Structure formats: structure tokens, C-alpha cells
Amino acid sequence: MPHAWTGAALLTVAAATTAGAQDVPATSRSPLGEAIRAALIATPDLLSGLTATPRPPLDLYGAEIARDLDLLARAAPRLFDPDGPGLGPADAPTRIAFFTRADCADCATAQAELQALAARMGFRATLFDMDREVTLAHDLGLDTAPSYVMPDRMLRGAMPAIVLERYLAE
């Protein structure tokens, strides 16, 4: 262990010394740099933590994402039912389920924007009232109106048409 302690102590001293290097004359900096270089060459394990193969990033939400996607896949027949009430051309593919509430201040504006977007992009959106479809909204974890559900994502809160258009274009 003395070897590791010596290396750690050397790096600590080098860092502290280097931090004040701007105050040291240039003639003194070169020997210090050479001493640090020699110590690092002599004890390469000092840098092993920095040069080791990086670990893959943690996937903190992988299990939740998989659960949500499974939930959306199971609910898809009901969410994207072409015969349900909706917006957009009747014969167009259903791409969004739109959840609203009667007491929602933003829902009317969001619905008008969604209707214009559906007509322009040629898709259908099914409409759900969260107060009537309590179980479905709860199962999906939707607690905000308006909410948008697509086959691969859920968006809570009013979204500008440009945001929805970007998601639909993917």
C-alpha cells in the first residue's frame, strides 16, 4: 500500500503546486512538469482510474420505459381505435389519443390545434374524457389534462402543434 499512498500524495502535491503555477516563474515550471511526468511514467497505475475503459452509462429509467411501452402496447387497440370518437380524417391512421377534462382551461385550445394538425398531416386522433375514462387514464398514469398518448410515448400538458408535429414526423 505504501506505493499507492506515495502516488496519491504525489498527485495531491502536484495538483496543489500546479494550481499556483501561474505565480511560479517559467524557469521553475519546467522542472516541476518533468518531475510529475517522471513520477507518472514510473507509476502508471496512478492514472488507471482515468485511462480505464469507461463504464457504460447507467440506465436509470430503462425498467420504467419498458413498463410504459408494454402498457401502451396492451392499451393500443383501445387508444387508437379508428371507430372511436376523434379528430381528423375518418379514414386516416390513428396516431394520437387525446385526453381532456371538462374543467381544463387549456383543453379547448389544445384540441383546436390538434384538429388543425391532424387535418394538415392526415392522421386521426381519438378523444377521451378523463372524467369518463377514469380507469384508462389512471392505468396510463395520466393525471394532467390535456395529455397526448402515442404508441411510443405519453405527453402530459398542453403541447404546441410544432412539438407534436416533430414527434409525429419521427
Side-chain angles (χ1 to χ4, degrees):
M1 194 71 153
H3 183 19
W5 172 250
T6 304
L10 176 64
L11 284 179
T12 302
V13 170
T17 307
T18 306
Q22 66 270 12
D23 299 330
V24 177
T27 56
S28 299
R29 281 190 235 151
S30 181
L32 174 63
E34 285 301 316
I36 293 171
R37 181 177 181 276
L40 292 174
I41 289 171
T43 53
D45 58 314
L46 289 176
L47 298 177
S48 64
L50 300 174
T51 59
T53 304
R55 295 181 189 163
L58 291 176
D59 187 2
L60 298 176
Y61 303 106
E64 290 178 41
I65 291 170
R67 181 186 54 83
D68 286 350
L69 290 174
D70 181 58
L71 178 64
L72 291 175
R74 284 185 283 123
R78 184 164 179 208
L79 290 170
F80 308 111
D81 181 3
D83 297 325
L87 308 169
D91 59 341
T94 304
R95 308 261 316 268
I96 295 179
F98 183 63
F99 287 79
T100 64
R101 277 201 165 101
D103 62 348
C104 170
D106 295 329
C107 289
T109 301
Q111 185 169 332
E113 288 179 358
L114 182 59
Q115 186 164 9
L117 186 64
R120 186 166 51 82
M121 291 184 71
F123 68 86
R124 185 159 173 74
T126 53
L127 297 176
F128 293 92
D129 182 324
M130 292 174 80
D131 295 324
R132 285 191 216 129
E133 300 289 344
V134 175
T135 303
L136 179 59
H138 179 267
D139 289 348
L140 293 170
L142 300 177
D143 55 2
T144 302
S147 287
Y148 310 81
V149 178
M150 295 176 214
D152 62 345
R153 69 192 61 174
M154 294 182 277
L155 305 170
R156 292 166 179 88
M159 294 290 148
I162 192 166
V163 172
L164 294 173
E165 184 172 358
R166 180 172 175 216
Y167 284 129
L168 291 164
E170 290 179 352

